[in-house]
Amino acid sequence: MSDLGVIENGSVWVSHGQITAVGASDDVEHDAETIIDCSGKTVMPGFVDPHTHLVFAGSREKELGMKLRGMTYMEILQSGGGILSTVKATREASKEQLLEQSRKRMDTMMCFGTTTTEAKSGYGLDKETELKMLEVIKELDTAHPMDIVPTFLGAHAIPEEYAGRSEDYIKSLIDLLPEIKEKELAEFCDVFCEDGAFSLEESKYLLLAAKDLGLGAKIHADEIKNLGGSSLAAELGAISAEHLAVTSEDDMKAMAEVGVIGLLLPATPYSLMQNQYADARKMIEIGVPIALATDLNPNCWTESMQFIISLACYKMKMTPEEAIVAATINAAFAIDRAEKVGSIEVGKQADLIILDVPNYGHIPYRFGVNHVETVIKSGRIVVG
Ligand code: NIG
Ligand code: FE
């Protein structure tokens, strides 16, 4: 994670949407239809954002006041706010409204350099709205230049209709899985394994059913309380365990052994005014591959992977090199897209960004602004 393979005075050659050559400028042909002079700038792979809840209706800026008065995330949720208030707004929104609001966020993500993103359902919590969200994700993937990898997160919270009957709710989700699979509406199934959300047993039950159908497994694990979610990820061969603010060393070892990606979301504790960030240094020492994501959602609303890279360095003591690897190639691994995106390599999709900085060290160092000047998606200039 500490080697970026930087080429000073390099060139990238793109043809038919793919990278066909990369190397020192002197070694790469220069007779192209379009030439972009990047002198004094930094060219790198487009960011991959592997954990987002980008489709939702409404906003929750009022919760900032509640947080300032000392209410915790779970207290806000239990008082009918948090995820449940977004569920209400999302159920009420039409498909067109969801498309419109989500498209706008994707435009912002792309301006900030993200070229591939994951997106989760999970603000429907009933069959109709979960399917509506997944259909919106599918339409956005076609309509927007960015690529989206869809995840089914019906197990995001217990809907009010199922209060006290979480097992029945999990069963209803399992009944929905074949339709999701058949219509190709999701590649992964995710679950919020947490006190007040879903237990370890419920999480396992759901993810085993998803795996049986050929869906990949992801887990929101160890965000507030450690229920054993990250060790479960290792046991099930999940592609990633996500959040990991309170993961133990034993869990990390279990993850490292089977290569579960630790998907860290430093904007979440930031937005919750918490001081407990995932122990990235310990994970790297133990050999857990790390990826980074925004966790874009109405509680933690940022579209900027540049901000995440900054937080990773300043709050989790990752080096700029580690943070950039985690926001590109490792992030691509976390959504099973490493064959196609996440690095500048011959044969990969030409997803490139040009930043107006003399070297990558400026990305975390100069935070809160957008350094991305040009975005190229599949060989086409989409920003700049
Ligand atoms: O990953 N922790 C659970 N789910 C989301 C937040 C969703 C919300 O608050 O709307 C997360 O942080
Ligand atoms: Fe999340």
Side-chain angles (χ1 to χ4, degrees), residues 309-330:
I309 288 171
S310 247
L311 284 177
C313 295
Y314 287 106
K315 290 291 190 183
M316 301 196 296
K317 307 236 165 29
M318 288 174 74
T319 65
E321 293 80 7
E322 289 166 345
I324 288 169
V325 165
T328 53
I329 185 68
N330 282 13

Side-chain angles (χ1 to χ4, degrees), residues 229-251:
S230 48
S231 279
L232 176 64
E235 184 189 325
L236 297 179
I239 194 160
S240 57
E242 329 203 342
H243 282 289
L244 309 182
V246 293
T247 302
S248 74
E249 258 189 71
D250 282 346
D251 297 320

Side-chain angles (χ1 to χ4, degrees), residues 51 53 60 63 73 82-83 86 120 123 153 156 192 220 223-224 243 265 268 272 295 297-300:
H51 178 140
H53 307 251
R60 306 215 303 255
E63 288 174 16
Y73 183 65
I83 297 176
T86 302
K120 301 176 196 293
Y123 292 121
L153 178 58
H156 196 191
F192 186 19
H220 280 65
E223 179 183 351
I224 300 157
H243 282 289
L265 310 163
T268 310
L272 293 173
D295 196 17
N297 71 63
N299 171 63
C300 168

